[in-house]
């Protein structure tokens, strides 16, 4: 009986293990991806989910701006100066691992890991108006907790008068930083009482999920009574200082972008009116509200201050 | 050279082609409008797009004369009126977007804008300057004005383009790439024109000189 004798397979024909595994993984990913494509986003984004308890005290009774607009119409110059650039280019941002260094005039300077930070307090959902200095606005359901929670943990010293927020500086992840439209890293700042105000939100998510990269992932602040650029995105460093910080936009246009930049319909920007705004999705402009509608909550922070001089 | 003089038939086809090409930006906006492609702020998108094409077509129109001088071709001049009118067409759309959609006939707001917003303070006269050029673009008007006066009037196009560039420069928040590009292109066109004016003047003087010498 003839015995079948398999021919020896030359070693050169055997797929190396590494490649074999890679291919296997590729097939798995491809299969997963094609399956995911068939499912509604709510299912495959499951691991992006972020739950928050609704905070009715901080929920404006206005129609939400659709998720699609919130995540496709952004000013985030780190990814380009066009409104649709961030959604197109922010895929290169790596949001894990991520740490935030808290330093300066504090008794307990620390480097926080993002996951630790997110567990520091209960995540709330707050629906805020967002008013851009360019005279358009949105209504966004953010997820996070008051920045005050973090500030209390690090115990500011008596000299801490201001808080500076410094965003990631990495041109390989943020292609917009390859040009010098703004002084990188992006810097923003608040007075300490503004930073401590309960409205100032340390933000990790929106619309029930982790922040999409183009919205400032993985951690940003939202200061709803100030123009949008005051709300720093992709923060890596929070510094407590005695001197008022100089922000990127102050450097870019000292006569146009002040340190305070409170939403104020009676103080025009040097080149355009701030009296009205276009709510994204609406046809006619609506009147802009003092402090973006948060006058009751925040006006007391500025009693006796000349808001035209301190624009 | 074959390109120097085109037959009437070729030119007629070329005109049709340029006509259709000049409608492409409008077509794009229309398609985007019907396919939800204008983004979150369609009004801004349309205002910006029509403003951009006003300025672009204005610069293309202004490049016709330098192109003729450089190449010796005569036919581009035959496309100039259409291009200029298309610039005006987009300017009208641009202005209507602002007037009707953006401000919704809020005259008080508009007057305030013209007085207080530098970019509108220059944009508005730049738009107004286009009116006399559009009105005098017909053959009849050219004849009535006479070639010389007509040419003088249509030098306004340069002023209008300068106004357009300044308008653009002042309205962008920080990224000046586009306004700078337009400013550079405009200065090249302006430079070429000055160069030819100077050259003609020298030639004329020389002719005059040789004229006296021969006498
Ligand atoms: C009454 C006259 C005009 C008014 C009220 C006006 C108004 C505007 C407005 C509101 C914008 C958008 C600004 C923004 O979105 O931030 C804009 C953009 C623009 N306008 Fe005008 N404009 C006028 C005339 C002109 C003229 C005559 C030109 C060209 C010669 C022009 C060229 C542009 C350009 C290039 C842009 C920017 C486009 C871009 O962002 O890519 N505008 N204009």
């Amino acid at each position: 009986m003839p015995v079948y004798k398999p021919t020896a397979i030359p070693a050169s024909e055997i797929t190396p293990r590494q490649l074999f595994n890679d291919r296997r993984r590729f097939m798995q990913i491809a299969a997963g991806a094609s399956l995911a494509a068939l499912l509604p986003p709510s299912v495959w984004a499951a691991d992006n989910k972020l739950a928050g308890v609704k905070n009715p005290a901080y929920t404006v009774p206005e129609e939400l701006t659709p998720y699609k607009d919130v995540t496709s119409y952004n000013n985030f110059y780190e990814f380009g100066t066009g409104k649709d650039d961030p959604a197109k280019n922010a895929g290169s941002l790596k949001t894990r691992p991520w740490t935030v260094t808290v330093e300066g005039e504090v008794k307990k300077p620390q480097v926080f890991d993002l996951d630790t930070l997110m567990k520091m307090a209960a995540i709330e959902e707050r629906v805020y108006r967002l008013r851009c200095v360019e005279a358009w606005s949105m209504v966004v359901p953010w997820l996070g907790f008051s920045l005050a929670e973090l500030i209390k943990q690090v115990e500011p010293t008596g000299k801490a008068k201001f808080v500076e927020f410094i965003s990631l500086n990495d041109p390989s992840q943020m292609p917009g930083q390859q040009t010098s439209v703004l002084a990188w890293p992006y810097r923003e700042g608040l007075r300490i009482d503004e930073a401590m105000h309960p409205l100032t939100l340390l933000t990790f998510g929106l619309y029930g999920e982790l922040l999409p990269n183009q919205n400032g992932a993985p951690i940003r602040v939202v200061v709803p009574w100030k123009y949008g650029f005051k709300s720093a995105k992709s923060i890596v460093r929070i510094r407590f200082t005695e001197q008022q910080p100089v922000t990127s936009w102050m450097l870019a246009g000292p006569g146009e972008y002040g340190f305070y930049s409170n939403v104020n319909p009676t103080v025009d920007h040097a080149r355009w009116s701030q009296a009205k705004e276009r709510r994204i999705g609406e046809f006619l402009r609506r009147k802009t509200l003092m402090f973006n509608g948060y006058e009751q909550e925040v006006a007391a922070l500025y009693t006796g201050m000349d808001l035209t001089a301190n624009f | 050279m074959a390109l120097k003089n085109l037959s009437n038939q070729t030119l007629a086809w070329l005109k049709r082609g340029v006509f259709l090409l000049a409608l492409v930006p409008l077509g794009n906006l229309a398609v985007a409008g019907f396919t939800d492609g204008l983004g979150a702020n369609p009004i801004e998108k349309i205002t910006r797009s029509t403003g951009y094409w006003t300025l672009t077509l204005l610069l293309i129109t202004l490049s016709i004369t330098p192109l003729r001088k450089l190449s010796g071709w005569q036919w581009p001049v035959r496309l100039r009126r259409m291009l200029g009118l298309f610039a005006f067409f987009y300017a009208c759309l641009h202005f209507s977007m602002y007037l009707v959609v953006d401000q919704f006939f809020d005259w008080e707001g508009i007057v305030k804008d013209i007085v207080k917003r530098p970019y509108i303070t220059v944009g508005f006269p730049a738009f107004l300057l286009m009116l006399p050029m559009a009105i005098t673009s017909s053959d009849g008007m050219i004849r009535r004005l006479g070639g010389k006066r007509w040419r003088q009037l249509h030098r306004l196009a340069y002023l209008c383009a300068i106004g357009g560039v300044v308008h653009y420069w002042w309205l962008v928040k920080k990224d000046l790439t586009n306004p700078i590009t337009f400013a550079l292109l405009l200065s090249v066109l302006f430079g070429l024109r000055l160069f030819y004016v100077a050259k003609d003047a020298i030639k004329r003087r020389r002719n005059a000189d040789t004229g006296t010498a021969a006498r």
Side-chain angles (χ1 to χ4, degrees):
Chain A
M1 205 162 72
V3 177
Y4 173 66
K5 250 176 85 194
T7 48
I9 303 169
S12 62
E13 298 248 308
I14 297 173
T15 310
R17 183 186 208 101
Q18 173 68 35
L19 207 63
F20 177 80
N21 283 346
D22 278 356
R23 201 173 297 159
R24 212 181 137 95
R25 205 168 55 235
F26 173 76
M27 300 293 277
Q28 283 167 348
I29 291 171
S34 37
L35 197 66
L38 298 172
L39 298 171
S42 54
V43 176
W44 55 260
D47 54 345
N48 270 348
K49 281 264 174 288
L50 183 63
V53 182
K54 223 175 174 68
N55 182 337
Y58 291 137
T59 297
V60 293
E62 287 170 30
E63 198 183 329
L64 297 183
T65 303
Y67 175 86
K68 183 168 154 275
D69 293 340
V70 172
T71 55
S72 65
Y73 188 78
N74 308 99
N75 273 326
F76 197 174
Y77 280 15
E78 280 85 337
F79 298 105
T81 54
K83 294 282 188 305
D84 45 2
D85 287 340
K88 272 189 284 190
N89 301 333
S92 50
L93 176 67
K94 288 193 286 290
T95 56
R96 294 298 161 102
W98 192 280
T99 57
V100 179
T101 305
V102 183
E103 60 185 20
E105 294 295 340
V106 288
K107 293 193 194 109
K108 295 181 178 165
Q110 280 169 75
V111 178
F112 290 98
D113 184 67
L114 182 66
D115 295 303
T116 321
L117 210 51
M118 287 177 75
K119 289 188 201 103
M120 189 175 276
I123 304 261
E124 299 168 22
E125 181 178 87
R126 300 186 182 181
V127 178
Y128 281 165
R129 296 180 202 93
L130 167 77
R131 169 63 156 80
C132 177
V133 70
E134 296 165 0
W136 53 265
S137 63
M138 294 184 176
V139 178
V140 186
W142 300 108
L143 291 157
F145 47 77
S146 291
L147 175 65
E149 302 284 351
L150 169 65
I151 298 181
K152 279 180 223 153
Q153 296 249 339
V154 294
E155 297 178 23
T157 68
K159 282 201 206 149
K161 303 263 163 45
F162 294 93
V163 186
E164 184 178 21
F165 304 95
I166 301 166
S167 302
L168 180 69
N169 188 16
D170 183 353
S172 71
Q173 292 186 59
M174 298 181 143
Q177 290 179 333
Q178 284 155 20
T179 70
S180 51
V181 258
L182 286 175
W184 309 116
Y186 191 88
R187 289 164 195 274
E188 255 312 330
L190 295 171
R191 221 169 53 191
I192 186 97
D193 55 344
E194 297 176 326
M196 286 293 291
H197 193 283
L199 269 174
T200 301
L201 192 70
L202 191 64
T203 307
F204 307 98
L206 55 78
Y207 263 107
E209 63 177 57
L210 294 173
L211 284 171
N213 289 359
Q214 63 270 29
N215 293 87
I219 176 172
R220 63 174 296 174
V221 285
V222 175
V223 193
W225 72 92
K226 292 177 179 279
Y227 294 120
F229 66 89
K230 290 298 293 178
S231 296
K233 307 186 182 87
S234 304
I235 295 169
V236 293
R237 199 173 286 275
I238 299 177
R239 185 181 291 157
F240 291 76
T241 63
E242 193 171 7
Q243 302 296 324
Q244 178 174 300
V246 178
T247 71
S248 292
W249 278 105
M250 285 165 76
L251 282 173
E256 300 183 34
Y257 308 96
F259 179 76
Y260 285 94
S261 290
N262 292 316
V263 175
N264 188 339
T266 64
V267 177
D268 285 343
H269 180 274
R271 291 179 289 152
W272 57 80
S273 164
Q274 296 292 24
K276 291 184 185 178
E277 68 200 46
R278 171 162 296 107
R279 177 65 54 82
I280 295 302
E282 288 181 357
F283 187 73
L284 294 183
R285 284 176 187 260
R286 51 163 74 204
K287 286 211 159 75
T288 289
L289 305 173
M290 187 63 199
F291 294 116
N292 204 21
Y294 299 95
E295 189 169 10
Q296 274 203 330
E297 287 94 334
V298 301
L301 294 172
Y302 310 104
T303 32
M305 238 174 100
D306 178 352
L307 294 176
T308 307
N310 296 286
F311 59 91
Chain B
M1 209 210 286
L3 272 172
K4 194 156 179 169
N5 293 301
L6 299 181
S7 70
N8 280 340
Q9 206 188 1
T10 318
L11 192 69
W13 277 109
L14 194 65
K15 274 190 176 170
R16 272 170 235 165
V18 171
F19 185 88
L20 291 177
L21 219 59
L23 282 173
V24 167
L26 183 64
N28 277 341
L29 286 177
V31 170
F34 285 113
T35 57
D36 200 19
L38 289 174
N41 197 345
I43 295 166
E44 180 193 69
K45 179 80 134 224
I46 298 172
T47 308
R48 297 199 142 206
S49 170
T50 49
Y52 180 89
W53 284 102
T54 303
L55 193 53
T56 304
L57 283 160
L58 203 54
L59 288 204
I60 294 177
T61 312
L62 285 172
S63 66
I64 296 280
T65 301
L67 179 68
R68 188 188 60 191
K69 299 245 168 143
L70 283 170
S71 65
W73 304 340
Q74 294 303 316
W75 55 267
V77 178
R78 311 267 301 267
L79 298 170
R80 189 169 59 186
R81 169 166 38 186
M82 183 165 68
L83 287 165
L85 283 173
F86 263 114
F88 180 63
F89 170 68
Y90 279 100
C92 289
L93 291 178
H94 184 63
F95 182 61
S96 318
M97 280 307 290
Y98 171 78
L99 177 69
V100 183
V101 187
D102 199 33
Q103 299 291 329
F104 201 67
F105 304 104
D106 172 2
W107 297 107
E108 203 195 317
I110 292 170
V111 169
K112 246 201 235 158
D113 265 357
I114 295 175
V115 179
K116 274 185 75 178
R117 319 270 153 258
Y119 79 92
I120 304 225
T121 315
V122 297
F124 193 68
F127 174 67
L128 292 184
L129 285 179
M130 294 179 105
L131 288 172
M133 290 191 285
I135 292 167
T136 59
S137 64
S138 67
D139 288 336
M141 275 307 228
I142 298 174
R143 230 174 298 123
R144 218 171 311 162
L145 275 175
K148 186 160 177 231
R149 276 206 308 204
W150 182 88
R151 268 199 305 279
Q152 279 171 346
L153 178 71
H154 282 246
R155 279 191 200 129
L156 286 178
Y158 265 101
L159 216 55
C160 181
I162 292 170
V165 169
V166 175
H167 171 71
Y168 202 177
W169 198 289
W170 281 345
L171 74 87
V172 297
K173 218 161 77 181
K174 194 67 221 308
D175 186 357
L176 282 171
T177 320
N178 276 345
I180 288 174
T181 312
F182 277 116
L184 285 177
L185 288 173
L186 188 60
S187 2
V188 169
L189 293 178
F190 211 44
L192 278 172
R193 183 157 302 226
L194 288 180
F195 170 76
Y196 283 112
V197 167
K199 204 172 131 188
D200 287 352
I202 291 168
K203 209 200 264 167
R204 233 175 293 125
R205 173 117 38 92
R206 213 175 274 146
N207 284 348
D209 285 351
T210 41
T212 21
R215 205 153 5 115

